Amino acid sequence: RRGQVPFTPPVSIIVPAHNEEAGIAATIESLLDTGYPAPLEIIVVDDGSTDRTADIAWSYTGIPGVHLLTKSNGGKPSALNEGIAHARGDIVVLVDGDTVFQRDTIGNLVAPLVNPRVGAVSGNTKVANRGGIIGRWQHIEYVIGFNLDRRLFDVLRCMPTIPGAIGAFRREALESVGGVPSDTLAEDTDLTMSICRTGWRVVYEETALAWTEAPATFRQLWRQRYRWCYGTLQAMWKHRRSLAERGASGRFGRRCLPYLTVFQVLLPLFAPAVDLFTLYGLAFLDARTLALTWLFFTGLQALAGWYALRLDGEPVRTLWVLPFQQIAYRQLMYLVVIQSLVTALLGGRLRWHTIRRTGTFTSPVPHAGA
């Protein structure tokens, strides 16, 4: 895109919000404080909030381009579809109500849509509340796991997820799949897979930064990841026919679904056995050899982490928490996958789990590289 005339079409921004009073003001203000030169339309959809979310959003409606829609609680997909139906722009940006943009984010996010074959763009989600150990672990996971994966999926043209925190969509692409689906708990993954299967390109834009508030406690983290994992399993099962189809759908299915199956399902299932064998070995086998092996693989992960952090412009000193992540955080994620699979196999139903916000954005947000 270097050297091209800037692509700055009118943009409609949809912000679904349910009980987001702790952060909705910061979200709206960050969207207003933008360097984007074209007209912006900001639509906040209050999805039956029981707190002051609607009142706070209403206080901004005197600003040109800011609108508030209120509806009874129907879930995030219904709120998104309500906002999309009222949006006037052909480019629609979807933003969570706990997310803050930088001044250049919108321009960077929509720039890849200058290519008429691109139907959607994933931005780069950053953890804002990374001060504690749980926040640092999630920060590493976002950079090393999610964002490094998105670079790979971009190259392979099989992006499975545009995060709910930041994504730009061509209205035509949204209409081609019937809008945001509501039959899984991972509507962002379900929507992205559907768009890929229709033949639209879905790309990753690393310079489009969005700061989000991650869960601050283990309980909140468990609930969020349980929903994410279960919803991803639902989406994979829903789109399983793409494995045998031809054309764009088949290319997506055969490239993406096996990868997700291996790295997000099978490896987490077998990983606890490795941990148990390690503990057994420390007690009954050559502990020195096992310790050196563990250090070797941790070193490889640290090397991959160093590379991912450098790509994202993040300081590499964060890697000091990586060994502790291998001891505690990793096992938590394995248990989440196991519980999600058991729930799915038993035919259980999982309801949407809301996350309690702590108001991270009442203080300044860190910048990449800081």
Side-chain angles (χ1 to χ4, degrees):
R1 299 199 315 271
R2 304 301 181 191
Q4 292 183 355
V5 176
F7 180 67
T8 55
V11 172
S12 294
I13 305 174
I14 314 299
V15 187
H18 175 73
N19 291 346
E20 296 284 2
E21 69 173 348
I24 191 64
T27 297
I28 297 173
E29 288 177 9
S30 77
L31 298 175
L32 291 170
D33 182 27
T34 179
Y36 193 69
L40 287 178
E41 177 186 42
I42 302 171
I43 302 176
V44 179
V45 185
D46 178 66
D47 187 39
S49 296
T50 56
D51 60 7
R52 296 181 57 250
T53 298
D55 294 335
I56 296 171
W58 175 256
S59 68
Y60 289 91
T61 56
I63 301 174
V66 180
H67 309 282
L68 171 66
L69 302 177
T70 58
K71 59 184 290 295
S72 58
N73 181 242
K76 187 177 178 181
S78 70
L80 288 169
N81 287 325
E82 182 82 8
I84 293 168
H86 285 81
R88 295 193 295 264
D90 289 330
I91 303 299
V92 179
V93 172
L94 306 183
V95 183
D96 281 345
D98 64 338
T99 301
V100 165
F101 279 10
Q102 296 187 175
R103 295 199 78 245
D104 61 353
T105 295
I106 297 174
N108 292 337
L109 182 65
V110 303
L113 293 167
V114 68
N115 183 345
R117 293 174 295 177
V118 174
V121 184
S122 168
N124 186 344
T125 310
K126 299 281 190 177
V127 173
N129 53 328
R130 58 178 76 168
I133 190 68
I134 298 178
R136 286 190 173 95
W137 281 339
Q138 290 177 87
H139 165 52
I140 286 180
E141 182 184 28
Y142 271 62
V143 175
I144 300 177
F146 302 157
N147 291 335
L148 201 57
D149 276 354
R150 287 192 180 100
R151 287 181 169 89
L152 173 64
F153 290 130
D154 191 358
V155 172
L156 297 177
R157 298 191 179 187
C158 61
M159 189 78 65
T161 306
I162 293 179
I166 176 170
F169 298 82
R170 204 180 294 276
R171 179 183 290 275
E172 185 181 352
L174 289 171
E175 292 175 348
S176 70
V177 297
V180 181
S182 59
D183 50 349
T184 72
L185 287 179
E187 79 292 327
D188 47 5
T189 298
D190 194 355
L191 173 63
T192 309
M193 288 182 174
S194 297
I195 291 175
C196 284
R197 291 180 65 189
T198 61
W200 289 100
R201 277 204 62 190
V202 178
V203 301
Y204 173 60
E205 181 50 63
E206 62 181 14
T207 64
L209 302 182
W211 298 89
T212 188
E213 180 180 314
T217 66
F218 279 112
R219 176 179 173 81
Q220 295 290 318
L221 178 64
W222 179 282
R223 296 177 69 181
Q224 182 197 65
R225 298 311 170 86
Y226 185 22
R227 176 178 62 81
W228 282 7
C229 185
Y230 185 83
T232 299
L233 291 174
Q234 287 180 310
M236 291 170 63
W237 182 255
K238 177 179 176 179
H239 296 279
R240 66 190 183 280
R241 290 185 178 86
S242 63
L243 289 167
E245 291 178 341
R246 297 182 177 181
S249 180
R251 286 193 298 272
F252 167 80
R254 288 184 287 275
R255 292 176 184 179
C256 182
L257 295 186
Y259 181 94
L260 294 179
T261 301
V262 171
F263 289 98
Q264 294 195 20
V265 180
L266 296 181
L267 285 183
L269 282 179
F270 288 104
V274 176
D275 291 338
L276 291 174
F277 177 77
T278 301
L279 293 175
Y280 175 84
L282 289 173
F284 301 104
L285 302 177
D286 184 1
R288 182 173 177 273
T289 300
L290 284 171
L292 290 174
T293 303
W294 185 85
L295 288 173
F296 173 74
F297 283 104
T298 301
L300 290 180
Q301 288 183 313
L303 183 62
W306 174 86
Y307 178 66
L309 289 165
R310 290 295 300 271
L311 284 178
D312 253 27
E314 294 282 358
V316 297
R317 61 177 178 271
T318 312
L319 285 175
W320 71 267
V321 302
L322 184 63
F324 303 99
Q325 187 185 46
Q326 305 305 304
I327 297 172
Y329 187 85
R330 187 167 58 95
Q331 283 72 21
L332 179 68
M333 296 300 105
Y334 294 159
L335 293 174
V336 166
V337 173
I338 293 170
Q339 184 180 14
S340 300
L341 279 169
V342 170
T343 302
L345 292 173
L346 294 178
R349 298 290 298 175
L350 181 65
R351 62 184 179 86
W352 185 278
H353 287 158
T354 57
I355 304 299
R356 185 177 63 85
R357 305 303 179 190
T358 58
T360 296
F361 300 115
T362 55
S363 57
V365 176
H367 291 275

